[in-house]
Amino acid sequence: MTELCSFNYLQDFCDDEWRKSRLEIDCAKGDGLNFIAPRGSQCNPFSKQEESRLFCWAGWNEKFYTFLVVGNDRGTPQFCLRFPNKLTPHFSVMVYFSVLCPIQDDGMPPTGIEYHELKMNSLEPDSCIDDDTDKCNIIMKRGQCKKEEKYGLHCERTCNNCLDRGNMINMMCPFSTTVQGTWMFMDKFHKETVKINTTTLHFKDFGMFICKERSVFSDKLYKTVTLFDNGCAMRYTCFELQRRNNNVMQFRVGESSRSDLGFDSLCRFKEQTIPVTETYRSSQAKNLILDGYLRDEFCGFSSIIPFNGTIYGEPCTGSITDWDSDGCVTRGVLKVKSDTCSNLVNPLGK
């Protein structure tokens, strides 16, 4: 996802529908673009479903606008979106049902390209408002606030669904003391600090995740929540954390969800496909290295192991060990010894 594919906290007005749709873009890294229409409405221009998830293929600035080319999770670019560079409280987003992006100021596409105009409102950080106060009062009097997906989410203030961040954090679960500390995440060309304390897991670039629940079936699995201060809905994410030794911990992370799903649904660790370039999520565990002083660690040999092979075409024999014959103990150091391998670099003959 490019930086140009990062907008958040938008709402759309659909004709003849008092409940507002939501457009959230890259709230959580790798999350893509989520368009959520009111339940039971016909307000989604991207599909007949109430919710669409799209991914960014390209993004650039042209004159006074930012253009995004997006597509579905099947790996096909389908739409072009045009945003104004400066987001005011009220603005329009043009949705073109084509990967061709008109650059004319009036936004009108060539003949044959269908388009839709979304009239947007920006949401203020930590806003807790009703989409329509009068209609929400009627909803409350009818006792329909508990229908959260249909009404409660659109009448947050009247239905008393405002998020109490302070109280929520106090109800969080603790991370195991074995995973707490400051770590370094290094993957290919990426380097990042990761801090884990009693209740929060904080990747410097990936974001902050608060422990909500620990699995009763596996002490490695944690359900976390991410709270945003830009109007994005709360996200739920599963982490698998396993301390391997004094200096190494491994982690896996599932996709983020707007719904508080069970561990079976959240803890699905899989590879990401194009166009998502994912640094954190994969089916295989990734390593975190303890940041700071590393302790000697038992390598598991406890003996002298001979080896033979070929290095750069030259026959090579020798031994490898973590055994300290002087102290008759194992050390957190591997020693390689050979009298025949001139191409074997340090510690040759040690």
Side-chain angles (χ1 to χ4, degrees):
M1 301 289 287
T2 67
E3 288 300 321
L4 290 177
C5 297
S6 297
F7 294 98
N8 317 101
Y9 50 86
L10 309 177
Q11 286 188 321
D12 163 54
F13 286 103
C14 179
D15 292 341
D16 302 323
E17 174 59 64
W18 65 271
R19 295 171 298 167
K20 300 174 184 175
S21 302
R22 298 182 67 94
L23 175 62
E24 299 182 340
I25 302 182
D26 214 22
C27 290
K29 286 187 180 295
D31 194 30
L33 180 153
N34 292 272
F35 188 91
I36 307 100
R39 186 176 181 180
S41 72
Q42 302 294 321
C43 296
N44 190 344
F46 301 104
S47 74
K48 294 181 180 180
Q49 304 296 322
E50 291 168 0
E51 182 169 346
S52 292
R53 186 181 183 192
L54 303 170
F55 297 95
C56 184
W57 283 79
W60 69 93
N61 291 319
E62 186 83 28
K63 295 182 179 179
F64 305 107
Y65 301 98
T66 294
F67 293 88
L68 306 181
V69 175
V70 300
N72 58 31
D73 58 2
R74 293 186 293 274
T76 304
Q78 297 171 286
F79 308 99
C80 176
L81 277 64
R82 189 187 79 165
F83 293 80
N85 287 336
K86 294 183 179 180
L87 299 184
T88 57
H90 307 284
F91 60 95
S92 294
V93 174
M94 301 298 292
V95 178
Y96 304 102
F97 295 80
S98 168
V99 295
L100 299 178
C101 303
I103 62 173
Q104 293 84 356
D105 290 341
D106 61 8
M108 292 297 102
T111 302
I113 295 180
E114 185 180 353
Y115 71 97
H116 186 89
E117 182 178 6
L118 299 178
K119 297 179 180 178
M120 313 299 293
N121 279 356
S122 294
L123 286 177
E124 295 296 327
D126 291 325
S127 62
C128 182
I129 58 177
D130 296 332
D131 288 357
D132 187 304
T133 302
D134 293 336
K135 286 188 169 52
C136 287
N137 285 330
I138 296 174
I139 296 298
M140 180 187 64
K141 292 176 182 179
R142 290 178 178 173
Q144 295 177 304
C145 278
K146 292 184 179 179
K147 294 185 177 181
E148 292 191 5
E149 292 184 3
K150 192 168 184 180
Y151 296 120
L153 296 176
H154 303 279
C155 300
E156 289 183 322
R157 181 170 294 280
T158 298
C159 291
N160 196 28
N161 288 335
C162 298
L163 180 64
D164 186 345
R165 292 172 178 265
N167 184 56
M168 187 170 188
I169 292 176
N170 291 334
M171 297 172 62
M172 293 297 129
C173 69
F175 286 106
S176 169
T177 55
T178 60
V179 303
Q180 294 180 31
T182 302
W183 306 85
M184 289 301 302
F185 173 46
M186 291 177 284
D187 185 57
K188 295 182 180 179
F189 303 106
H190 183 79
K191 182 177 180 180
E192 181 177 354
T193 302
V194 181
K195 294 184 179 181
I196 306 177
N197 61 24
T198 305
T199 59
T200 61
L201 187 161
H202 187 197
F203 283 76
K204 182 177 179 295
D205 298 327
F206 191 26
M208 180 178 292
F209 304 85
I210 304 172
C211 182
K212 181 181 186 295
E213 184 181 351
R214 191 169 179 178
S215 172
V216 297
F217 300 104
S218 173
D219 59 3
K220 299 183 295 183
L221 297 179
Y222 298 85
K223 182 191 297 185
T224 68
V225 296
T226 304
L227 305 178
F228 299 95
D229 59 1
N230 56 14
C232 285
M234 187 165 53
R235 293 294 194 274
Y236 297 87
T237 309
C238 174
F239 277 87
E240 180 184 77
L241 303 173
Q242 185 173 16
R243 185 77 173 259
R244 288 299 185 180
N245 55 46
N246 286 331
N247 304 313
V248 176
M249 182 169 67
Q250 291 187 316
F251 79 93
R252 292 194 295 175
V253 54
E255 291 187 356
S256 298
S257 170
R258 299 175 70 254
S259 302
D260 186 0
L261 303 176
F263 280 90
D264 289 344
S265 298
L266 285 177
C267 302
R268 295 177 179 176
F269 309 107
K270 59 184 181 180
E271 301 296 333
Q272 299 296 317
T273 57
I274 294 175
V276 179
T277 54
E278 180 58 71
T279 302
Y280 306 94
R281 296 178 175 89
S282 71
S283 60
Q284 302 298 316
K286 295 179 180 287
N287 294 326
L288 298 176
I289 309 299
L290 187 67
D291 188 22
Y293 177 75
L294 299 181
R295 306 174 188 174
D296 288 348
E297 187 65 37
F298 172 50
C299 295
F301 286 84
S302 299
S303 63
I304 299 174
I305 299 177
F307 68 84
N308 65 78
T310 302
I311 298 180
Y312 300 113
E314 179 184 357
C316 181
T317 60
S319 63
I320 182 171
T321 182
D322 60 352
W323 181 256
D324 181 357
S325 56
D326 294 333
C328 293
V329 294
T330 56
R331 301 289 187 187
V333 177
L334 286 178
K335 294 182 179 180
V336 180
K337 183 176 180 180
S338 175
D339 297 324
T340 63
C341 307
S342 60
N343 286 320
L344 181 64
V345 295
N346 293 331
L348 178 64
K350 301 294 186 181

